[in-house]
Amino acid sequence: MSNIYSEVITKVKEADGIVIGASNGLSISEGIHIFAENKDFIENFGDFREKYGFRSIIQGCFYPFPSEEEKWAFFSRMYDYFLYTGEASSVMKNLYKLVEDKDFFVVTSNIDDHFRQAGFPENRLFEIEGNCRNLQCINGCHDKIYSGDNVLSEMARKQENGKVPSDLVPECPECGGPMQVHLEVDRNFLKGEAWQASFKAYQDFIDKNQGKKLVLLELGVGARNQLIKAPFMDITNAEKNATYITLNKGELYIPEEIAAKSIGINGDTAEVLQQLVQLK
Ligand SMILES: [Zn+2]
C-alpha cells in the first residue's frame, strides 16, 4: 500500500494543476450520510421522521412541507447539523493540506459546504447542486443568491415543536414570496450568474491545464456518476499528461482505456488522506 501512496504523492508534487472531484463518499468518510436512516439521522432528525415519515436527510430535502415554518425548521436544522461544530473535520483538513501549496480547483455535488469550511476559497469551488447555506427566491423572480448564515442559524436555535417563529421565515426581497435553500431539489434551482461563473471557473481551470500535468483527484464518487466521474475520465483520456487518481471504498472503477494513467485506492478515505498527508 505504501508504494501506491508514494506514487500519489509524487504525482501531486509534480502536478501543474489538481482538480478535486468529490461526491457523497467523501461526506460519508467524515461521518455524514445524507442517504442513510442511521443513528445520527434518528438523533438529529427523529422528530421529522416521526411527523412526516421521511427516512433520510435527502428525503427531507425533497419533502413537501405543509408550511414555511415547518420547511425552515428542517432546512435550518440541516444547516446546523452540517456546520454545527464550526470546525472542519480531520478528513477535510487533511485534504486541504494535501493540495494547499498547489494550483487546485474543486468540483463537488456535496451540499454540506465543508470545502469552504476547511479553507478552500470560494473562487476555486464549483458546487454543482448548490449548498445548504445559500438562499434564493422560490419563484426565481430574480437571479441573486443570498447568504443564509444568520437567518438559518437563528431559525435552528429558535425552532419549537417542528416550527420556526413566523417572523423569522425568509421572504424574497424583490417579490415578497417564499425563499428556498439554493439546492438542486427542483426545477426552481437557479443556475444563473453565480452558478454559471463557478461553472466557467471550473472549465477555465481545465482549459489552462491542457497539455500540462493535470491531476484529477476523485474522492467518494460512485461508479456510474455522470456529473463528476464521466467528465474526469473523458479529460484523462484526452490529455496525455493527465493522471486520474480515484479513492473509493469498495467501489473502484477505472476503465481500460485510461488504466495506464490512473491510480486507484480502495480504502477508507479518511485513513488514506491521513497517510498521504504524513508522507507529503
Ligand atoms: Zn422573488
Side-chain angles (χ1 to χ4, degrees):
M1 209 59 165
S2 68
N3 280 347
I4 207 168
Y5 291 157
S6 316
E7 212 183 317
V8 171
I9 291 298
T10 304
K11 289 293 181 188
V12 165
K13 284 188 173 163
E14 288 175 358
D16 295 308
I18 300 176
V19 57
I20 295 172
S23 181
N24 192 41
L26 180 65
S27 301
I28 293 173
S29 75
E30 297 184 85
I32 288 192
H33 198 327
I34 63 170
F35 293 92
E37 188 184 22
N38 56 14
K39 184 167 160 282
D40 228 28
F41 174 73
I42 290 164
E43 258 173 44
N44 290 282
F45 299 91
D47 50 340
F48 294 104
R49 180 175 171 270
E50 288 275 300
K51 192 169 173 185
Y52 307 111
F54 58 73
R55 292 169 177 276
S56 64
I57 294 174
I58 196 72
Q59 284 182 9
C61 288
F62 286 95
Y63 192 82
F65 290 95
S67 71
E68 286 295 298
E69 287 80 1
E70 287 156 299
K71 172 180 102 178
W72 287 108
F74 173 77
F75 282 101
S76 62
R77 180 92 57 85
M78 182 178 81
Y79 167 87
D80 194 53
Y81 172 67
F82 286 156
L83 297 165
Y84 71 102
T85 61
E87 197 191 336
S89 67
S90 58
V91 173
M92 296 305 294
K93 284 180 182 169
N94 280 333
L95 182 56
Y96 188 67
K97 278 186 206 155
L98 186 64
V99 301
E100 64 183 339
D101 51 355
K102 305 298 296 187
D103 189 17
F104 63 78
F105 198 90
V106 176
V107 54
T108 184
S109 54
N110 290 348
I111 59 168
D112 49 32
D113 202 48
H114 284 183
F115 279 94
R116 201 166 356 192
Q117 190 187 38
F120 289 84
E122 196 169 344
N123 61 356
R124 297 190 191 196
L125 192 51
F126 176 36
E127 292 172 308
I128 307 172
E129 296 177 332
N131 71 43
C132 65
R133 72 196 302 175
N134 290 331
L135 309 184
Q136 64 158 91
C137 170
I138 205 168
N139 301 311
C141 80
H142 68 301
D143 181 34
K144 194 166 168 196
I145 307 299
Y146 295 87
S147 163
D149 287 328
N150 292 338
V151 67
L152 285 164
S153 51
E154 194 174 2
M155 289 191 295
R157 275 199 321 276
K158 292 188 177 165
Q159 57 183 263
E160 269 178 38
N161 303 319
K163 290 180 181 179
V164 302
S166 300
D167 61 335
L168 291 181
V169 168
E171 283 176 1
C172 172
E174 296 293 324
C175 73
M179 298 191 84
Q180 69 181 42
V181 179
H182 186 236
L183 289 177
E184 191 157 19
V185 289
D186 54 32
R187 297 173 67 87
N188 299 332
F189 180 66
L190 280 177
K191 290 185 176 176
E193 199 177 323
W195 190 93
Q196 295 293 342
S198 300
F199 182 34
K200 184 171 184 303
Y202 170 45
Q203 289 174 314
D204 288 350
F205 186 84
I206 301 295
D207 289 349
K208 84 172 180 187
N209 281 292
Q210 267 185 5
K212 296 189 179 167
K213 288 179 183 160
L214 176 66
V215 166
L216 299 104
L217 176 59
E218 187 196 87
L219 301 148
V221 180
R224 286 166 301 281
N225 180 289
Q226 292 302 307
L227 279 179
I228 296 167
K229 192 179 207 63
F232 269 29
M233 295 191 302
D234 290 345
I235 294 163
T236 308
N237 200 23
E239 287 291 322
K240 75 174 194 308
N241 296 320
T243 305
Y244 173 65
I245 301 173
T246 174
L247 270 56
N248 209 326
K249 197 176 179 182
E251 207 184 352
L252 269 192
Y253 171 59
I254 299 171
E256 196 50 45
E257 303 91 289
I258 60 167
K261 290 190 252 179
S262 302
I263 304 171
I265 301 180
N266 185 356
D268 180 77
T269 300
E271 278 171 35
V272 175
L273 286 172
Q274 179 69 33
Q275 297 282 334
L276 290 173
V277 165
Q278 278 169 4
L279 261 182
K280 197 183 161 193

